[in-house]
Amino acid sequence: MKSAKNYAVVVLFLIAAALSVVAWRQHGELEGFRASALSSDERADLQKRIWDSQKKVREMEHTLAKGGPPGPTPSGAADSAPPSSGAPAGGLASTLLSRMNNPEAQRLMAEQIRSQIEKRYAALFPKLNLTPEQLSKFEDLLIDRQTAPMDVLSAANDQGVSNPQDFMKLVESAQADIDGQIKTALGDANFGQFQDFQQNQAAQNMVNQLKSNLTKTDTPLTPDQSAQLAQLMAHSSSPSGGGTPFGGAGGPQITPDIITQSQGFLSAPQVQALQQIQQQQQTAQRLRQIMLQGSASAPTGP
């Protein structure tokens, strides 16, 4: 009989990855508000939430690397975060898998994701000229792609998959298969529009983050700069079928080439702010490598 603890490794990896995304986003939120009108108490609360998320990520890293309960957190500001519950890993895996297989939970999740998809692709749907049946099928496939990691996790419980890297390969394979179904359902021309929309939207989201970070500074982004940067990022990103393996919207990696080209139309402070976002991406990628490979020697960089 396979140990439930093996399956829990994958569950813990999912949770740690999700928490790392939360911590990264909260860090970006804090950077964007440093020069805003937030009170000192509000800044302190946001910083504490970042520390709490980072502490949970460290605990998950330790569990994944050592196969045991998290060790003590190094002294520092994060020490004020509440301690881990210490629940058995097998119990956590069993509970999560059971709740994911609940029909009502699956229905509510699908409804929530469909609502998000309808908002996200509201500008694209009319351009595809799909029949109501085709549009419904397209939305169903997008939902399947978003929920693929949870479906794979349930299947991994039956197949004995316990290695996070193997799990991610299964997720990528499942999402690639759904991408193929989307292409078949839409046709080549519409699928091309879908890919372009994905790239442009992801690039615009990244520009919006930089714009938010610069709003209260002396060098806010101008409309012309925003358009140039969005175009640069869209052309530098590869086609995507619809987001990250954890259901979030994918975004272009800020490469050294993007930094170099952006210097032609961004000021020095604006480029520095873009480099800060690049560093946040590298930190998130580094954490993902540690959780996947369990190695402290994996290279950093975009």
Side-chain angles (χ1 to χ4, degrees):
M1 178 180 297
K2 301 180 181 65
S3 171
K5 185 174 181 180
N6 290 338
Y7 309 127
V9 171
V10 178
V11 177
L12 292 173
F13 168 71
L14 277 173
I15 297 173
L19 286 171
S20 69
V21 171
V22 171
W24 182 80
R25 288 178 177 173
Q26 288 175 340
H27 177 74
E29 183 182 353
L30 179 62
E31 290 295 326
F33 287 144
R34 284 193 187 277
S36 70
L38 287 181
S39 67
S40 58
D41 290 341
E42 289 171 325
R43 286 197 187 93
D45 177 69
L46 181 56
Q47 182 67 74
K48 183 179 183 302
R49 285 192 284 128
I50 295 173
W51 286 334
D52 289 346
S53 296
Q54 291 172 338
K55 178 176 182 291
K56 290 182 175 65
V57 168
R58 287 196 298 272
E59 291 173 346
M60 291 298 178
E61 285 179 21
H62 189 282
T63 302
L64 289 169
K66 304 298 182 182
T73 302
S75 60
D79 289 342
S80 60
S84 171
S85 63
L92 173 62
S94 177
T95 299
L96 289 179
L97 289 172
S98 175
R99 291 178 181 177
M100 283 190 299
N101 290 328
N102 183 296
E104 178 67 7
Q106 292 178 346
R107 182 185 66 82
L108 293 174
M109 182 182 298
E111 287 183 1
Q112 184 179 46
I113 294 175
R114 185 179 294 275
S115 176
Q116 295 170 350
I117 285 174
E118 289 175 348
K119 293 178 181 178
R120 180 180 176 188
Y121 297 97
L124 173 67
F125 288 154
K127 299 178 181 179
L128 300 179
N129 295 318
L130 300 176
T131 66
E133 293 76 16
Q134 289 173 323
L135 179 59
S136 178
K137 175 63 174 178
F138 181 32
E139 291 180 351
D140 288 342
L141 288 172
L142 291 174
I143 292 173
D144 289 344
R145 197 181 196 284
Q146 292 274 36
T147 59
M150 294 299 101
D151 295 337
V152 171
L153 178 60
S154 180
N157 186 41
D158 298 328
Q159 299 175 10
V161 176
S162 60
N163 186 299
Q165 293 187 63
D166 293 339
F167 171 78
M168 290 303 299
K169 289 178 181 178
L170 289 173
V171 171
E172 291 167 358
S173 176
Q175 292 182 331
D177 179 67
I178 296 172
D179 289 343
Q181 295 180 51
I182 291 176
K183 184 175 182 179
T184 300
L186 294 181
D188 291 341
N190 279 344
F191 186 71
Q193 287 193 67
F194 170 59
Q195 287 183 308
D196 290 342
F197 183 86
Q198 290 281 98
Q199 290 177 244
N200 292 334
Q201 188 181 66
Q204 187 59 54
N205 289 341
M206 191 65 66
V207 172
N208 289 341
Q209 180 181 350
L210 178 63
K211 184 186 299 183
S212 176
N213 291 354
L214 292 170
T215 297
K216 299 295 183 178
T217 70
D218 295 332
T219 56
L221 280 184
T222 67
D224 184 58
Q225 287 176 322
S226 297
Q228 291 184 73
L229 185 58
Q231 184 178 31
L232 173 61
M233 288 189 173
H235 289 166
S236 299
S237 60
S238 58
S240 171
T244 68
F246 301 99
Q253 288 293 312
I254 301 176
T255 63
D257 185 57
I258 288 179
I259 296 295
T260 299
Q261 293 189 52
S262 69
Q263 293 173 351
F265 54 89
L266 296 182
S267 66
Q270 291 171 334
V271 172
Q272 184 178 12
L274 186 62
Q275 289 173 321
Q276 290 175 351
I277 298 178
Q278 180 190 41
Q279 181 60 48
Q280 293 167 14
Q281 287 185 336
Q282 292 173 352
T283 299
Q285 184 186 40
R286 175 73 182 116
L287 178 58
R288 182 177 183 273
Q289 289 174 334
I290 292 175
M291 289 187 294
L292 281 174
Q293 302 171 6
S295 170
S297 60
T300 58

